[in-house]
Amino acid sequence: MAGNLQQAHQHSLTVKLSHLTKTLLITLITLGLLTSHSQLVVAANNTHVIDGTFIQLWNTEKAGGVWSQERWNQEVLRMKESCQNTIFIQFATHGNAAWYQVSNLDFISYTSNAMQYIFNASEKHDISVIVGLSHGSGQWDWNNDMNRADYSMIYGRHQQVVDEVSQLFGKSPAFSGWYIPQELDWIRFPHNSDAQRLSAELFQDTAKYAKSRVNKPVYVAPYFQDMNPANTEIWWDKFLSIATEVDILLPQDGGGRANADINKFSNTYGAIKKSALKQSMAFGVDIETFAPGSVAATWPRVKTQLDKANTHNPSIIVQFEHSFMNQDINTNRAQLYNDYTTWQKTIRDCTWDPSAPSTRSPFVDVPTYHPYLPSIQQVAKRGIMSGSSHFRFLPNNPISRAETAVVLTKTFNLHPTNSPQQAISDVPATHWAYS
């Protein structure tokens, strides 16, 4: 223990319980309690690069629906080494197509091995996979308001897809969450309308059902149109007061629109994040990496989008969509990929080491590059510390003396003795942390 105390002294750690945070307590545990050889590693740069990518599968060579396992292995490794550690499969089924081979659904007539290949490659390369549910023509028609028939049909299909996906992939170590693919916007679902209420009920019921099968976080990526930030916050306050089972919002920034005003994005992010935090939900960002005409965006524009997103300290930044930053499709898309990875390597080295421990995070607000991720993984695995609501860890939150006592008791496996206990006037025997 003396060596550990000396190591702590060398790091000049002074602890005041009134200012103790979870990450500081974890630092102390890592330095002196869990392992005698642990070293404190502090990240030099907490800037988000692109942490993940949406994949929109189609039965074309460009969109990956017909790729071989070898091709997916190559592609996933490339994602890993460009710091994109999370794959969002936008939809498991679309119309009459299922992107997994075994399906008994009566509306499916085309199947593919694409999802199996993605999971195989993701397990091999330590990637997390978020699975989107059912989407397709007629399920979310932009020309019609949401009605009870829409709700019943979409929810029924979501339930069926959840059941099949849970059976096929639910036990995979790569399976890390659910995604509800229907896009939300305030134009189609005006505030306080029946359409807004029904869409919120759809997301609430779908999220609750998915987590009843595999208890993983539920993501949504609403598309935000131009809207006054105050009205945006009011709209999301109402929606999230109903859809309380949603865990993380990833607003899609609309940067690919012809007349998108990127300078307005920050205010909209701020409004949506406020609504998410009111419900203790996590907040991320989904940036569009395409431009009008289905071409890749320029790197300066994407960099501006990243800068705007980073000002709001999101839990994750993902891109839509993978094919627009793929060096094998055409020179325009290869250029964006090359420009991005050149910049990314100045921020973070994501060279993959197959022998390294897994960087999959058990919490949505602890990214793969978090300086304390290995320790957070350990204290969560050992039951020393647990997360908060909506799969969050809240690593920078203060921790109370009572919580600290419980953590240290679990760390040292301490048990009550028969010896008289020192009386503490403000800790009655009924206190949850008394023992």
Side-chain angles (χ1 to χ4, degrees), residues 329-347:
I329 294 179
N330 59 39
T331 55
N332 167 255
R333 301 179 188 211
Q335 185 65 54
L336 178 58
Y337 175 85
N338 292 334
D339 290 344
Y340 162 72
T341 53
T342 297
W343 169 81
Q344 163 253 305
K345 290 171 184 176
T346 68
I347 303 297

Side-chain angles (χ1 to χ4, degrees), residues 77 80-81 123-126 349-357:
L77 175 58
K80 182 72 176 180
E81 296 205 324
E123 290 175 11
K124 180 178 179 179
H125 296 101
D126 194 37
D349 180 10
C350 290
T351 303
W352 183 53
D353 178 3
S355 65

Side-chain angles (χ1 to χ4, degrees), residues 79-334:
M79 294 177 198
K80 182 72 176 180
E81 296 205 324
S82 62
C83 301
Q84 298 179 74
N85 288 289
T86 304
I87 291 174
F88 288 75
I89 299 173
Q90 177 145 1
F91 32 71
T93 71
H94 190 281
N96 68 345
W99 300 106
Y100 50 90
Q101 190 63 52
V102 181
S103 177
N104 296 313
L105 305 184
D106 57 10
F107 57 89
I108 297 299
S109 59
Y110 173 89
T111 60
S112 163
N113 275 322
M115 281 179 57
Q116 185 65 63
Y117 293 157
I118 291 171
F119 268 94
N120 291 344
S122 298
E123 290 175 11
K124 180 178 179 179
H125 296 101
D126 194 37
I127 292 282
S128 298
V129 179
I130 313 298
V131 177
L133 299 178
S134 179
H135 206 336
S137 300
Q139 291 188 39
W140 202 258
D141 191 337
W142 285 91
N143 297 317
N144 296 312
D145 286 335
M146 183 75 170
N147 57 52
R148 181 58 66 178
D150 291 331
Y151 163 89
S152 298
M153 187 269 286
I154 300 171
Y155 179 51
R157 290 198 172 184
H158 282 336
Q159 288 178 300
Q160 291 176 290
V161 172
V162 164
D163 288 342
E164 291 199 331
V165 168
S166 299
Q167 288 292 322
L168 291 170
F169 307 110
K171 294 182 179 180
S172 168
F175 190 98
S176 301
W178 302 99
Y179 170 66
I180 303 177
Q182 281 72 32
E183 291 183 350
L184 294 164
D185 75 278
W186 68 276
I187 295 176
R188 184 163 177 247
F189 308 108
H191 182 58
N192 278 335
S193 66
D194 288 342
Q196 184 194 32
R197 177 180 56 79
L198 275 173
S199 61
E201 289 178 9
L202 171 66
F203 278 61
Q204 168 71 359
D205 295 343
T206 300
K208 187 174 183 178
Y209 187 82
K211 289 193 280 191
S212 75
R213 294 302 185 264
V214 180
N215 189 28
K216 297 288 185 179
V218 174
Y219 295 71
V220 299
Y223 176 78
F224 66 70
Q225 304 269 8
D226 293 328
M227 187 179 184
N228 179 284
N231 292 337
T232 298
E233 186 176 350
I234 291 170
W235 194 97
W236 278 103
D237 285 349
K238 175 69 173 182
F239 186 92
L240 295 179
S241 70
I242 299 171
T244 58
E245 290 288 339
V246 168
D247 298 299
I248 180 166
L249 297 185
L250 301 171
Q252 185 172 335
D253 67 5
R257 288 180 294 155
N259 298 310
D261 186 351
I262 296 177
N263 291 321
K264 294 182 178 180
F265 289 1
S266 187
N267 290 335
T268 307
Y269 287 145
I272 296 176
K273 183 175 183 179
K274 284 181 182 178
S275 292
L277 293 180
K278 289 175 189 176
Q279 296 294 334
S280 300
M281 297 174 183
F283 170 81
V285 171
D286 174 14
I287 65 170
E288 293 181 349
T289 53
F290 60 87
S294 293
V295 298
T298 64
W299 167 241
R301 197 204 81 186
V302 172
K303 178 62 166 60
T304 301
Q305 291 169 267
L306 280 168
D307 290 343
K308 295 293 183 184
N310 266 303
T311 61
H312 292 278
N313 191 29
S315 295
I316 186 173
I317 295 179
V318 301
Q319 64 140 336
F320 186 89
E321 179 267 350
H322 172 68
S323 65
F324 290 101
M325 210 166 74
N326 188 314
Q327 64 181 2
D328 293 332
I329 294 179
N330 59 39
T331 55
N332 167 255
R333 301 179 188 211

Side-chain angles (χ1 to χ4, degrees), residues 7-8 10-13 23-32 35-43 371-375:
Q7 186 180 25
Q10 290 171 350
H11 286 285
S12 301
L13 294 176
T23 48
L24 181 54
L25 181 59
I26 285 173
T27 300
L28 296 173
I29 293 173
T30 302
L31 285 174
T35 59
S36 60
H37 61 275
S38 297
Q39 294 182 348
L40 178 63
V41 178
V42 179
Y372 304 109
L373 175 62
S375 298

Side-chain angles (χ1 to χ4, degrees), residues 217 359-366 373 376-377 380-381 391-392:
T359 59
R360 291 193 187 98
S361 175
F363 303 105
V364 297
D365 58 351
V366 180
L373 175 62
I376 292 171
Q377 289 172 318
K381 182 178 180 180
F391 301 90
R392 298 173 307 146

